[in-house]
Amino acid sequence: TTPARQLVATAIIGAAVIGYLVRKTPESRTRLESLSQMASTLGELSETDAAVVAKLLAKPATRGVSRHV
């Protein structure tokens, strides 16, 4: 079974991911980066979850992209 601490870390990181995907602000990005780094340092973030966060953060944040030509 998955330890409770890892589940809590996953829930917190998941909330930060959703916040970043919705807001796309520098603050939400920094929160996601900080939380994922802390969880990784504590050994509470799986390699798979860390890869998902890294892939998300590798993409540039685009919000409200205009499609007018």
Side-chain angles (χ1 to χ4, degrees):
T1 62
T2 305
R5 284 179 53 173
Q6 189 175 14
L7 292 174
V8 170
T10 301
I12 292 169
I13 302 275
V17 165
I18 291 168
Y20 177 66
L21 290 173
V22 170
R23 293 184 198 99
K24 301 282 188 184
T25 62
E27 293 81 13
S28 62
R29 180 184 178 90
T30 299
R31 177 173 167 76
L32 176 57
E33 289 172 336
S34 298
L35 288 171
S36 61
Q37 183 178 29
M38 185 186 332
S40 182
T41 299
L42 294 172
E44 301 300 333
L45 188 63
S46 72
E47 289 183 21
T48 302
D49 291 341
V52 169
V53 171
K55 185 176 179 180
L56 176 64
L57 292 173
K59 296 179 187 177
T62 54
R63 183 171 189 201
V65 175
S66 177
R67 296 192 187 264
H68 300 290
V69 257

